[in-house]
Amino acid sequence: MRIGILGAGDMAQGLGAHWVKAGHEVKLSHRDESAEAAAFGDVILVAVPAEAVPEVLGATDLAGKVLIDCTNAIIRANGPCGLHGPASRRTGTEAKVVKAFNLCHESVWKRQYPHKLVPICGDDPSAINLVKRLVADIGCTPAEAGPLSRAEVLEAAAAFVIGLSVAGFDPRAAVDM
């Protein structure tokens, strides 16, 4: 599969390296090269800061492509983390948007074996199945978490977990069952 990654930071490099290892073709891009990566990929991962999503996606044609949104529009202040609103709703694109890979810190995806459960939200069954395959290809477990409207729940969970971590708590202790 050809995967275009809009971004070249730790998240992009981590996931991209795993997909290359799994046999996929990957093209990373900096902001000024996003159209190239979008044209290259059948699947596009947007891995830029949430505030850059409208600008980056506005400069690319993603009609008909699967767009994986791993961003979180988190407000980091002196108090608890909050949200600006779901990044997936701010994409302004005709792509088939699937929310995935947003619950773990970018360092997790740079591990040799991440072995994580990856919640996925989306509205298009074929796009969801494709992302499930990409999740499984890197040794993780895909978990359908509902329609794209539930992406807000995933982003809120990320804000909560990041807030605990920033405050010095291990978020895993809050959900251990």
Side-chain angles (χ1 to χ4, degrees), residues 80-106:
C81 290
L83 291 173
H84 285 292
S88 58
R89 290 199 184 141
R90 296 189 318 276
T91 59
T93 180
E94 294 180 37
K96 300 170 187 172
V97 179
V98 177
K99 185 74 171 182
F101 299 108
N102 74 304
L103 287 184
C104 292
H105 187 268
E106 58 204 17

Side-chain angles (χ1 to χ4, degrees), residues 2-157:
R2 292 168 57 109
I3 304 167
I5 301 181
L6 309 181
D10 287 340
M11 189 76 157
Q13 290 175 27
L15 287 170
H18 284 295
W19 286 326
V20 166
K21 235 189 294 184
H24 301 291
E25 294 180 64
V26 173
K27 181 171 185 66
L28 296 175
S29 70
H30 295 280
R31 283 188 195 185
D32 57 341
E33 303 165 339
S34 60
E36 244 179 75
F40 170 83
D42 303 310
V43 176
I44 310 300
L45 172 71
V46 60
V48 298
E51 59 273 8
V53 169
E55 174 192 339
V56 170
L57 294 186
T60 58
D61 178 16
L62 300 172
K65 296 195 179 206
V66 174
L67 176 70
I68 303 171
D69 174 12
C70 69
T71 65
N72 290 307
I74 295 174
I75 302 166
R76 291 182 183 97
N78 292 336
C81 290
L83 291 173
H84 285 292
S88 58
R89 290 199 184 141
R90 296 189 318 276
T91 59
T93 180
E94 294 180 37
K96 300 170 187 172
V97 179
V98 177
K99 185 74 171 182
F101 299 108
N102 74 304
L103 287 184
C104 292
H105 187 268
E106 58 204 17
S107 64
V108 169
W109 306 117
K110 296 201 80 164
R111 293 179 189 159
Q112 186 173 2
Y113 303 107
H115 299 298
K116 292 292 178 187
L117 180 77
V118 178
I120 299 168
C121 291
D123 295 331
D124 184 280
S126 64
I128 291 168
N129 286 333
L130 191 144
V131 174
K132 285 169 66 175
R133 175 180 163 206
L134 290 174
V135 168
D137 283 351
I138 66 170
C140 293
T141 304
E144 284 191 55
L148 191 58
S149 60
R150 290 187 47 88
E152 186 170 352
V153 174
L154 287 179
E155 289 190 27

